[in-house]
Amino acid sequence: ALCAAAIVSAALAGAAQAQQQPTAGALALAKEMSDIKGTTNIFDPIIVGVVESTRQTLALGNPNMTRDIDAVAAQMRGEMQARRAELSQQLIRVYTEFFTEAELKEAVAFYKTPLGKKLLTDEPKVAETSMKVADEWSQKFAAEVATKMRAELKKKGLNPI
C-alpha cells in the first residue's frame, strides 16, 4: 500500500509539473530557439495550402463562381497570413513542454556556436541525402527480397509471377 501511494504521489507530482505554465524566460528562450531553427517557417505552406485546398473544393462545386472564388482566395491568403503569429506562439510553447528553461538556454547557446550554425545549415542536406541513400538501399533490398521469395516458392513447386 505504501508503494502504491508513492507511485500515485509521484504521478500526481509529475502531472502538476507538466501543467505548470512556462516562465517568461522559458518562453523567450523558446522563441529564440524557434527563430534560430526556423520552426515557424517550416509550417508556412500550411496557410497557403489550406486556402488553396478550400479554393479548389469550392471551385469544383461551383464552377460558375471560379473568378469570384479565386479573388476571395487571394484575399484570404493575405488575411490568413496574420494567423502565422498564432501558430508561431503555439509552436514556441511546444519547446517549453519538452525542454526546461536551463536546457533551452543551453541549446540556444549551442546553436550560436560555429558547430551549431553548421548543424543548422547542413542538417537539412544530411536529411535529404540520407533519404536518397535509404531510398536506393530499399529498392535494392526489395529486389533481393522478391528474388529470394520467388526462389523459395519455386522450391515448393509454385511458379509466382
Side-chain angles (χ1 to χ4, degrees):
L2 200 55
C3 185
I7 292 170
V8 170
S9 177
L12 291 175
Q17 185 179 11
Q19 291 175 356
Q20 288 178 352
Q21 292 298 315
T23 64
L27 287 170
L29 287 163
K31 181 183 183 325
E32 191 171 358
M33 178 77 134
S34 180
D35 290 346
I36 288 170
K37 294 195 75 176
T39 304
T40 303
N41 299 340
I42 295 168
F43 296 99
D44 279 348
I46 291 175
I47 293 169
V48 174
V50 168
V51 172
E52 180 58 21
S53 175
T54 304
R55 184 198 66 75
Q56 289 176 359
T57 300
L58 288 172
L60 281 172
N62 304 281
N64 57 330
M65 297 181 200
T66 302
R67 184 178 301 162
D68 292 315
I69 291 169
D70 289 348
V72 170
Q75 174 188 336
M76 295 300 292
R77 274 191 291 276
E79 289 176 11
M80 293 297 114
Q81 207 56 34
R83 302 286 300 274
R84 183 181 190 273
E86 177 185 329
L87 174 60
S88 179
Q89 288 302 311
Q90 291 180 14
L91 295 174
I92 287 167
R93 285 191 171 276
V94 170
Y95 277 109
T96 67
E97 291 175 16
F98 290 91
F99 300 98
T100 66
E101 187 171 342
E103 290 169 335
L104 286 166
K105 186 175 185 177
E106 195 174 325
V108 165
F110 168 74
Y111 281 116
K112 289 181 177 181
T113 67
L115 177 58
K117 289 176 183 177
K118 180 175 176 49
L119 186 63
L120 288 169
T121 301
D122 292 347
E123 196 169 33
K125 297 173 198 169
V126 169
E128 182 180 344
T129 303
S130 296
M131 290 300 293
K132 287 178 184 175
V133 167
D135 185 51
E136 290 169 9
W137 179 87
S138 69
Q139 288 177 19
K140 290 176 187 173
F141 181 66
E144 180 184 333
V145 168
T147 300
K148 288 184 177 187
M149 286 181 76
R150 283 188 182 94
E152 288 300 316
L153 290 167
K154 284 183 180 182
K155 287 180 190 176
K156 295 180 181 279
L158 302 170
N159 195 13
I161 297 173

